[in-house]
C-alpha cells in the first residue's frame, strides 16, 4: 500500500467534519489539497470512501470500515511519538469523566486504556448516566469531560463538543431472513417487520422519527436497554433492529449469526464525541484526556 499519513489525516478530517470545506478549514489548508488527498487514497485502495452529491458527501460503508483502520494507524503513530516525550508520567491530579451507556463499552474503553498508560498518576472517576443528566453535571462543573452521543446535544450554548465517531444506522436481521438477499432494502420494507427497540440514549427517538417520516407506526415487538438482548432476540428471529453500526457484532452471546445490511434512504447517524463546559479553564488532566481522544479519533464506527 502506498497511502501516506497525510492522506489518512485528511480522510479522517473529512469523515469527522462531514464536508471537504469544513475539513480544510479545520486543517487550515486549501480545499483542493484535501480533495486531491482523498482521491489519491481512494485510487490507492480501489474503493469509494465517500458518495458525492449536490449537497456534499456521505461516507460509504467501506469508508466506515476503513475509517476504523485509519484512526487506529494514526493513534499508533501518536503513541509511538509519545514514548519519546518525557514528563507525562509526572502529571498528577484528578479527572472526572461522564459517559452514556451506549458508548461506555464501545468508545470510552479504548481511549481510557491509552490515557491510563500515558498518565498513570492521574486519579480517574467516571459516572455512567443519560445525556441530559451528564449535560447538567458538565454545566454545573461536576464533570470535566463527557464521552457521549452528541447528535442531539441540548445545551450547545453552554457546552463545547468535538466529534470522535460518526456511525450510520443499519438493519440487523437473523440468518436467512427474507431481506438478506434483497439487492436494495428500503425503509418501507421494514415497517411490517416486528421491531426490537433499543431504549438507551437517543436510539429509540431516532428510530421512531425515521419511521414516522414515512408515515408508518412501527410494530415494536420488544423494548430493552440491553444491546446483548437485542442481539439475542434478532438472532433467534424475534424481530429486526435498526441500530448504529457502532455496536454491531455478527454473533449473539448464544453463538447465533446476525446479518447487517444497508438501508436506502435518509437514515440518521449517531455522532459520538467529547463534551466539556464552554469557556471553562480545563485542568491539565482533562486537556490531556481530550488530546488522547483527538489523536485516536475513535468514530470506530460501530462496525
Amino acid at each position: 500500500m502506498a497511502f501516506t499519513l497525510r492522506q489518512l489525516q485528511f480522510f479522517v478530517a473529512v469523515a469527522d467534519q462531514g464536508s471537504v470545506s469544513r475539513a480544510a478549514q479545520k486543517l487550515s489548508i486549501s480545499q483542493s489539497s484535501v480533495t486531491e488527498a482523498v482521491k489519491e487514497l481512494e485510487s490507492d485502495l480501489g474503493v469509494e470512501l465517500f458518495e458525492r452529491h449536490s449537497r456534499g458527501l456521505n461516507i460509504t460503508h467501506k469508508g466506515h470500515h476503513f475509517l476504523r483502520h485509519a484512526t487506529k494507524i494514526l493513534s499508533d503513530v501518536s503513541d509511538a511519538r509519545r514514548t519519546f516525550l518525557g514528563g507525562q508520567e509526572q502529571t498528577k491530579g484528578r479527572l472526572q469523566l461522564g459517559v452514556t451507556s451506549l458508548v461506555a463499552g464501545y468508545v470510552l474503553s479504548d481511549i481510557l486504556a491509552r490515557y491510563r498508560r500515558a498518565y498513570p498518576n492521574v486519579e480517574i472517576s467516571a459516572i455512567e448516566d443519560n445525556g441530559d443528566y451528564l449535560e447538567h453535571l458538565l454545566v454545573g462543573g461536576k464533570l470535566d469531560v463527557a464521552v457521549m452521543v452528541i447528535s442531539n446535544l441540548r445545551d450547545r450554548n453552554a457546552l463545547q463538543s468535538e466529534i470522535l465517531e460518526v456511525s450510520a444506522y443499519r438493519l440487523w436481521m437473523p440468518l436467512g431472513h427474507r431481506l438478506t438477499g434483497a439487492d436494495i432494502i428500503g425503509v418501507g420494507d421494514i415497517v411490517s417487520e416486528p421491531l426490537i427497540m433499543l431504549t438507551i440514549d437517543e436510539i429509540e427517538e431516532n428510530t421512531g422519527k425515521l419511521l414516522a417520516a414515512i408515515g408508518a407506526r412501527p410494530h415494536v415487538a420488544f423494548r430493552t436497554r440491553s444491546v446483548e438482548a437485542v442481539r439475542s432476540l434478532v438472532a433467534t428471529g424475534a424481530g429486526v433492529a435498526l441500530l448504529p453500526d457502532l455496536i454491531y457484532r455478527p454473533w449473539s452471546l448464544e453463538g447465533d449469526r446476525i446479518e447487517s445490511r444497508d438501508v436506502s434512504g435518509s437514515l440518521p447517524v449517531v455522532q459520538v464525541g467529547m463534551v466539556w463546559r464552554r469557556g471553562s479553564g480545563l485542568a491539565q488532566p482533562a486537556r490531556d484526556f481530550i488530546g488522547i481522544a483527538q489523536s485516536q479519533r475513535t468514530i470506530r464506527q460501530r462496525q
Side-chain angles (χ1 to χ4, degrees):
M1 290 299 219
F3 58 72
T4 66
L5 290 178
R6 176 176 173 272
Q7 291 170 347
L8 295 184
Q9 290 166 344
F10 289 7
F11 162 63
V12 170
V14 173
D16 282 352
Q17 299 299 314
S19 78
V20 170
S21 60
R22 287 196 295 269
Q25 184 177 13
K26 181 179 177 65
L27 295 166
S28 299
I29 58 174
S30 67
Q31 292 187 35
S32 60
S33 296
V34 176
T35 299
E36 181 181 359
V38 172
K39 286 183 177 178
E40 289 174 351
L41 182 60
E42 289 180 318
S43 176
D44 183 59
L45 295 172
V47 300
E48 286 192 355
L49 300 172
F50 297 101
E51 294 176 345
R52 280 79 173 175
H53 52 77
S54 59
R55 298 182 305 279
L57 50 79
N58 293 322
I59 193 167
T60 64
H61 182 58
K62 289 182 178 178
H64 274 301
H65 279 284
F66 185 69
L67 180 61
R68 179 176 57 181
H69 297 294
T71 53
K72 184 178 186 304
I73 291 169
L74 294 175
S75 174
D76 289 343
V77 170
S78 178
D79 278 349
R81 287 175 174 161
R82 187 174 287 108
T83 61
F84 294 99
L85 299 176
Q88 286 93 336
E89 69 279 359
Q90 303 302 319
T91 300
K92 296 181 180 180
R94 181 178 176 84
L95 177 65
Q96 295 176 302
L97 291 175
V99 62
T100 48
S101 53
L102 181 69
V103 301
Y106 298 93
V107 179
L108 179 64
S109 56
D110 289 341
I111 301 172
L112 201 53
R114 291 189 59 214
Y115 183 82
R116 289 184 184 278
R117 290 195 299 268
Y119 305 100
N121 294 328
V122 174
E123 180 184 351
I124 302 171
S125 62
I127 179 174
E128 178 184 315
D129 217 302
N130 64 65
D132 288 343
Y133 186 60
L134 293 184
E135 287 191 42
H136 168 72
L137 294 179
L138 286 165
V139 172
K142 303 297 184 182
L143 291 177
D144 297 313
V145 185
V147 180
M148 56 191 288
V149 174
I150 63 172
S151 311
N152 291 337
L153 197 64
R154 265 68 172 178
D155 201 344
R156 295 185 181 273
N157 290 327
L159 298 172
Q160 186 170 343
S161 64
E162 182 166 337
I163 296 173
L164 291 174
E165 287 195 37
V166 178
S167 181
Y169 276 71
R170 303 190 81 210
L171 179 64
W172 296 13
M173 300 170 287
L175 187 66
H177 189 277
R178 66 179 183 86
L179 292 176
T180 57
D183 293 332
I184 299 176
I185 300 174
V187 177
D189 298 319
I190 304 170
V191 294
S192 62
E193 296 288 332
L195 188 67
I196 311 299
M197 186 81 78
L198 184 64
T199 59
I200 56 177
D201 291 342
E202 63 183 6
I203 303 302
E204 183 173 20
E205 179 184 351
N206 274 355
T207 306
K209 286 180 179 178
L210 172 64
L211 295 172
I214 63 169
R217 183 185 296 256
H219 167 42
V220 179
F222 200 91
R223 286 183 168 87
T224 177
R225 292 183 58 83
S226 167
V227 177
E228 293 302 339
V230 173
R231 291 196 183 103
S232 295
L233 289 164
V234 170
T236 54
V240 299
L242 275 172
L243 289 172
D245 210 25
L246 166 69
I247 58 177
Y248 172 71
R249 301 292 182 272
W251 304 98
S252 70
L253 287 177
E254 296 79 15
D256 296 313
R257 177 78 185 183
I258 302 168
E259 299 288 336
S260 176
R261 295 289 187 276
D262 290 324
V263 179
S264 64
S266 300
L267 270 68
V269 297
V270 166
Q271 296 176 333
V272 176
M274 297 177 293
V275 184
W276 60 94
R277 187 172 61 176
R278 189 180 297 277
S280 64
L282 290 174
Q284 189 63 46
R287 292 200 299 270
D288 292 336
F289 179 84
I290 291 172
I292 289 281
Q294 287 172 331
S295 68
Q296 178 148 331
R297 284 297 182 210
T298 325
I299 270 171
R300 174 186 88 169
Q301 292 349 99
R302 356 354 88 202
Q303 339 213 18

